[in-house]
Amino acid sequence: MLDTTINQSLKDNDTVSGDRAGVVEGNYRASCLGCIAREVGACAGFVGERLSSRQSAAGEVPSVGQYYPARRPIVHQREVPDYVPIICSGWAASALVTHGGKRQIVSFSLSGDMSSAAYVFESCSGRSVEAISEVYCRKFKRKDFQAAVQNHAAGNPALSKLIAKEREASDQLHVDLSRRSAETRIARLILSIAARLRSKNVGAGEDFEFPLRQQHIADATGLTTVHVCKILSRMRAAGLIRTGGRHMTILDRAALQEIADQ
Amino acid sequence: MLDTTINQSLKDNDTVSGDRAGVVEGNYRASCLGCIAREVGACAGFVGERLSSRQSAAGEVPSVGQYYPARRPIVHQREVPDYVPIICSGWAASALVTHGGKRQIVSFSLSGDMSSAAYVFESCSGRSVEAISEVYCRKFKRKDFQAAVQNHAAGNPALSKLIAKEREASDQLHVDLSRRSAETRIARLILSIAARLRSKNVGAGEDFEFPLRQQHIADATGLTTVHVCKILSRMRAAGLIRTGGRHMTILDRAALQEIADQ
DNA sequence: CGCAGTTTTGATTTCTGTCAACGTCTGTGG
DNA sequence: CCACAGACGTTGACAGAAATCAAAACTGCG
């Protein structure tokens, strides 16, 4: 699956069926700047499905929007994209694949997220973006996106903040992977996702959507699925969390925080 | 030592003695763009000591240059810098410090390197930069640096390439820390430093300056000094490398590469 | 010389990975 | 509605890598 060629994956995507068009092209008005601003929590912006409507305000930037079913690649790791992908709805993962077929998830993208600010600057490959749940993703041509950032007063500051925020997250991941225990890494992952969801859906409480498979958690924390399972079991047994039906409930936030702070 | 206040560290730095001025201020002509271009190997540029001379070509950008003795902090992790630091000579390390006092080195900066492109965009703290050997570092005000990038035709492309390159390195570090063995991580570190030195000093061969302590290697690879020592001993015993006197010699590059590719 | 920072080495423990088997869920097609 | 297949989750036994602990040797330096 990971070795599917780009052409194959695009072909697959074209065959998406159902009441939604597989591919949506054209000069839709879409607020990419709203997206960036949303990303950094700077303003309410236009999130998710709305991006495909004609109600956006900031600019008119041509883009291609498309639905991707769960587990489908959005950007292939051998692709050299000349566009900036923005996740408008659903969950996606940015990952690296090693020589030996091992995978490292670098970040999860929730609705409104750009998978990496680096896409704005340079064609950079080697990283894949993959749908976790069903995803609606818009792809903006890099040149168009850069121009839109330049033409909008809030563009550059928002992008700068996004870069800083991404660096912060990347730094924390380094520390997690090198110096923290399996239990701590998983606790931190859960809490960081909960925090991001809360800042997006105004008021997601202790119970939230959680479409990640244990394989995703393992790939993000640098552990094996078996070990992830054992630790989640332990956390459940200790009454810290409840999982099931693609949902997660934080039952004892204080205790989870305690583990995460180590 | 890590908890030294910023003021204390600046005071310490002021007392540097010897035939070199501790602090060099003023509107020296310095090619920060040359630095960026140098960073990405795009052009020969102006490196190291030359930056403090008046021979630079590209622009005149005010900056503060200063010598830092080995093991002295250059940017404190609690500092929120409004400048862009460029290492003009010597070796420095960018590191994060955890709650529990553990350290993760994110990158080594060699002469001509900016410790992180993120400094150009936003005041981002939490990361410290520390001298390994004696370092001469120039600090450019962020606004000045940004203006210089904008005003120079090669500025933005060079900065974009730098960002992409940095992302690539950061991604590789993630994979290293999560999925590769201790031996592989160390082999990769040695080879990557050798490659960078070679691309800088035209023609640094298999023998090069290597001022890192085992503690630095441990902090960069996420291992303990004890384990680093054991693996280096094993590599020496296997005839792969020779170390001593702050130098490293690669004796069997093919075998080292073999280990690094795993 | 003595001291502090490094490097080295061995014994032991802890964490996490590997292997293997089995149970459960989910979607698909008849 | 049922049967089925494949993906996913769970559990236990065991192995291996790296951490921890402890002590000694080495280095450079005032």
Side-chain angles (χ1 to χ4, degrees):
Chain A
M1 179 52 139
L2 287 171
D3 280 328
T4 313
T5 67
I6 299 165
N7 287 339
Q8 182 57 40
S9 84
L10 289 178
K11 189 161 143 282
D12 289 350
N13 288 322
D14 286 345
T15 63
V16 173
S17 60
D19 53 351
R20 286 154 161 172
V23 180
V24 186
E25 288 203 42
N27 279 17
Y28 279 79
R29 296 176 193 206
S31 163
C32 66
L33 294 167
C35 255
I36 297 184
R38 181 71 190 70
E39 166 77 39
V40 296
C43 77
F46 297 86
V47 200
E49 302 290 329
R50 278 195 185 171
L51 278 171
S52 59
S53 78
R54 293 185 163 270
Q55 300 174 357
S56 314
E60 299 183 30
V61 184
S63 68
V64 180
Q66 187 175 343
Y67 281 97
Y68 297 83
R71 264 161 287 139
R72 199 67 56 90
I74 298 172
V75 180
H76 193 278
Q77 75 256 22
R78 287 206 300 271
E79 195 179 342
V80 183
D82 64 340
Y83 53 81
V84 179
I86 306 264
I87 308 300
C88 301
S89 72
W91 293 48
S94 295
L96 305 157
V97 182
T98 63
H99 220 72
K102 289 171 183 171
R103 222 170 55 145
Q104 172 62 38
I105 290 180
V106 175
S107 69
F108 293 109
S109 305
L110 278 38
S111 54
D113 289 350
M114 178 162 21
S115 32
S116 166
Y119 286 109
V120 180
F121 294 97
E122 187 86 2
S123 293
C124 42
S125 66
R127 224 191 237 192
S128 68
V129 181
E130 199 171 309
I132 295 172
S133 56
E134 189 194 55
V135 158
Y136 182 76
C137 175
R138 290 193 152 270
K139 293 176 173 179
F140 298 83
K141 277 195 178 153
R142 182 175 306 108
K143 292 278 176 222
D144 295 337
F145 197 95
Q146 285 173 341
V149 170
Q150 291 306 322
N151 294 337
H152 195 285
N156 276 314
L159 186 58
S160 290
K161 271 190 192 141
L162 175 54
I163 288 169
K165 209 182 143 199
E166 220 172 79
R167 195 194 84 144
E168 170 76 20
S170 166
D171 283 356
Q172 279 307 313
L173 183 56
H174 284 134
V175 175
D176 275 6
L177 294 174
S178 73
R179 300 292 185 192
R180 296 204 236 253
S181 71
E183 213 169 14
T184 302
R185 291 186 220 180
I186 291 177
R188 293 175 72 87
L189 178 63
I190 293 171
L191 287 173
S192 83
I193 286 177
R196 284 173 68 190
L197 284 173
R198 194 160 8 180
S199 81
K200 280 184 196 293
N201 322 343
V202 196
E206 303 298 60
D207 180 87
F208 47 88
E209 190 195 356
F210 195 80
L212 303 188
R213 310 282 148 164
Q214 292 186 348
Q215 183 68 61
H216 291 121
I217 301 178
D219 287 344
T221 53
L223 303 166
T224 57
T225 53
V226 175
H227 204 215
V228 167
C229 175
K230 283 172 183 168
I231 284 173
L232 286 179
S233 304
R234 217 188 299 163
M235 285 181 170
R236 255 182 269 119
L240 302 183
I241 57 172
R242 185 165 51 213
T243 60
R246 309 292 121 217
H247 267 259
M248 162 120 11
T249 311
I250 296 179
L251 298 173
D252 188 345
R253 174 173 288 267
L256 207 56
Q257 193 73 57
E258 176 87 16
I259 293 170
D261 284 343
Q262 282 164 5
Chain B
M1 178 50 139
L2 287 169
D3 280 328
T4 313
T5 67
I6 299 164
N7 287 339
Q8 181 56 41
S9 86
L10 289 178
K11 190 163 143 281
D12 287 352
N13 287 322
D14 286 344
T15 62
V16 173
S17 60
D19 53 350
R20 288 154 160 172
V23 178
V24 186
E25 288 201 42
N27 280 18
Y28 279 81
R29 297 176 195 207
S31 163
C32 66
L33 295 167
C35 255
I36 296 185
R38 183 67 191 70
E39 166 75 40
V40 297
C43 77
F46 297 88
V47 200
E49 301 291 331
R50 279 196 187 170
L51 278 171
S52 59
S53 80
R54 294 186 163 267
Q55 299 174 358
S56 317
E60 301 185 25
V61 184
S63 68
V64 179
Q66 187 175 342
Y67 281 97
Y68 297 83
R71 263 162 286 139
R72 197 68 54 93
I74 297 172
V75 180
H76 193 277
Q77 76 256 22
R78 287 207 301 271
E79 195 178 345
V80 182
D82 65 338
Y83 52 81
V84 179
I86 305 263
I87 307 301
C88 301
S89 72
W91 293 47
S94 295
L96 304 157
V97 182
T98 64
H99 219 74
K102 289 169 182 173
R103 221 169 57 144
Q104 172 63 38
I105 291 180
V106 175
S107 69
F108 293 107
S109 305
L110 277 39
S111 54
D113 290 350
M114 180 164 17
S115 33
S116 164
Y119 285 110
V120 181
F121 293 98
E122 186 85 2
S123 292
C124 42
S125 66
R127 227 190 234 190
S128 66
V129 181
E130 199 172 308
I132 294 172
S133 56
E134 188 193 57
V135 158
Y136 183 75
C137 174
R138 289 194 152 268
K139 294 178 174 177
F140 297 84
K141 276 194 181 157
R142 183 176 306 109
K143 292 280 176 220
D144 295 337
F145 197 94
Q146 286 172 341
V149 171
Q150 291 307 321
N151 294 339
H152 195 286
N156 277 313
L159 186 57
S160 290
K161 270 189 193 141
L162 175 54
I163 288 169
K165 208 181 145 204
E166 221 171 79
R167 196 194 82 142
E168 171 77 20
S170 165
D171 283 356
Q172 281 306 313
L173 183 56
H174 284 134
V175 174
D176 275 7
L177 294 176
S178 72
R179 300 291 186 193
R180 296 202 237 253
S181 71
E183 213 168 13
T184 303
R185 291 185 219 179
I186 291 176
R188 293 176 71 86
L189 178 64
I190 293 170
L191 287 173
S192 82
I193 286 177
R196 284 173 67 191
L197 285 173
R198 192 159 11 178
S199 81
K200 280 183 195 293
N201 321 344
V202 195
E206 303 297 59
D207 180 86
F208 46 90
E209 191 195 355
F210 195 81
L212 302 189
R213 310 280 147 163
Q214 291 185 352
Q215 183 69 60
H216 291 120
I217 300 177
D219 287 343
T221 53
L223 302 166
T224 56
T225 51
V226 174
H227 203 217
V228 167
C229 175
K230 283 171 183 170
I231 285 174
L232 286 179
S233 303
R234 217 188 299 162
M235 286 180 169
R236 253 181 271 120
L240 303 183
I241 57 172
R242 184 165 51 213
T243 60
R246 308 293 123 215
H247 266 259
M248 160 119 15
T249 311
I250 297 179
L251 298 173
D252 187 346
R253 175 174 286 268
L256 207 56
Q257 193 73 56
E258 176 88 18
I259 294 171
D261 284 344
Q262 283 165 3

